[in-house]
């Protein structure tokens, strides 16, 4: 806590001297995140982003602050902007999908997962989430098609077993 107090003091002094230095705002926001002071973190990141718009790291930290504060819509908004600039960032994509799910934004879930799978075809975690999404929405044929594609790309016993289960649910034997 002592180091954080000192960091906050020094960053505040730096901002008194040079208020248009975005990195001082960003670093101060990091201090507030560490302390779980979400409102102050948001203010600091927004001030820095006013000076250096769309900075990827600051956008990510701002979105995280909104998420931790409980403002899901604002978190989604900033994660989306971040992903527009960094479309291959899988951890943020997965975090965004989770927020969409929390907000029942099913069209956005499907779009994000399909786009993510195009960018990360090797990622089985993403494919598994898409599979669960199709199953949860009663889209068995889409789930079956995805499983068949995955089985060709990644032939494993577990995928074959799930494919067999899904085909049995469909009432069609494996051919």
């Amino acid at each position: 806590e002592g180091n954080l107090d000192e960091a906050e003091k020094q960053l505040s002094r730096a901002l008194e001297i040079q208020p248009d230095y975005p990195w001082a705002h960003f670093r101060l926001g990091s201090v507030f995140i560490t302390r779980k002071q979400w409102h102050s973190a948001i203010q600091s990141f927004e001030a820095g982003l006013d000076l250096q718009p769309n900075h990827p790291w600051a956008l990510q930290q701002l979105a995280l602050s909104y998420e931790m504060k409980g403002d899901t819509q604002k978190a989604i908004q900033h994660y989306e902007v971040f992903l527009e600039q960094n479309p291959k960032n899988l951890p943020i994509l997965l975090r965004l999908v989770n927020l969409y799910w929390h907000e029942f934004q099913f069209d956005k879930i499907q779009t994000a997962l399909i786009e993510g799978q195009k960018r990360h075809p090797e990622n089985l975690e993403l494919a598994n989430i898409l599979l669960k999404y199709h199953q949860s929405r009663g889209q068995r044929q889409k789930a079956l098609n995805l499983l068949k594609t995955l089985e060709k790309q990644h032939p494993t016993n577990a995928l074959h077993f799930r494919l067999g289960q899904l085909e049995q649910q469909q009432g069609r034997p494996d051919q």
Side-chain angles (χ1 to χ4, degrees):
E1 187 66 31
N3 290 341
L4 291 176
D5 290 339
E6 184 60 29
E8 182 180 357
K9 265 189 223 174
Q10 288 188 14
L11 289 165
S12 294
R13 265 189 247 132
L15 286 170
E16 286 173 13
I17 296 167
Q18 192 175 0
D20 60 344
Y21 184 56
W23 274 97
H25 291 285
F26 298 157
R27 293 296 180 197
L28 189 56
S30 293
V31 169
F32 292 132
I33 282 179
T34 303
R35 290 182 173 160
K36 299 181 180 172
Q37 295 174 337
W38 309 122
H39 181 73
S40 296
I42 289 166
Q43 287 180 323
S44 292
F45 285 113
E46 286 179 340
L49 285 164
D50 284 345
L51 299 168
Q52 188 174 350
N54 297 323
H55 185 277
W57 178 81
L59 277 171
Q60 182 181 0
Q61 296 303 300
L62 178 60
L64 174 66
S65 298
Y66 274 118
E67 183 181 355
M68 295 296 104
K69 182 183 171 206
D71 191 339
T72 306
Q73 289 303 314
K74 288 274 193 174
I76 287 172
Q77 174 187 346
H78 292 289
Y79 282 135
E80 287 174 339
V81 172
F82 173 86
L83 279 176
E84 285 174 15
Q85 297 173 11
N86 304 279
K88 291 190 174 195
N89 189 302
L90 186 59
I92 296 300
L93 174 67
L94 293 172
R95 191 171 206 113
L96 185 58
V97 165
N98 186 48
L99 290 175
Y100 287 153
W101 211 298
H102 178 72
E103 293 294 310
F104 305 105
Q105 296 181 8
F106 297 113
D107 290 342
K108 287 187 173 187
I109 293 169
Q110 183 172 354
T111 301
L113 289 172
I114 289 170
E115 284 301 311
Q117 192 178 32
K118 287 177 187 174
R119 291 185 179 101
H120 305 279
E122 73 293 345
N123 189 284
L124 292 178
E125 179 185 6
L126 190 57
N128 194 39
I129 294 169
L130 182 56
L131 178 65
K132 288 178 183 177
Y133 169 79
H134 287 317
Q135 289 173 326
S136 74
R137 303 296 294 158
Q139 299 170 341
R140 286 196 171 117
Q141 189 58 47
K142 286 184 177 182
L144 180 62
N145 292 342
L146 176 59
L147 275 172
K148 286 181 179 180
T149 300
L150 288 172
E151 188 177 39
K152 288 176 187 171
Q153 293 173 347
H154 310 278
T156 66
N157 292 337
L159 283 174
H160 185 70
F161 175 73
R162 288 187 74 177
L163 180 57
Q165 280 184 323
L166 194 57
E167 285 178 333
Q168 284 177 352
Q169 290 173 357
Q170 290 281 96
R172 289 186 243 166
D174 191 8
Q175 297 183 23

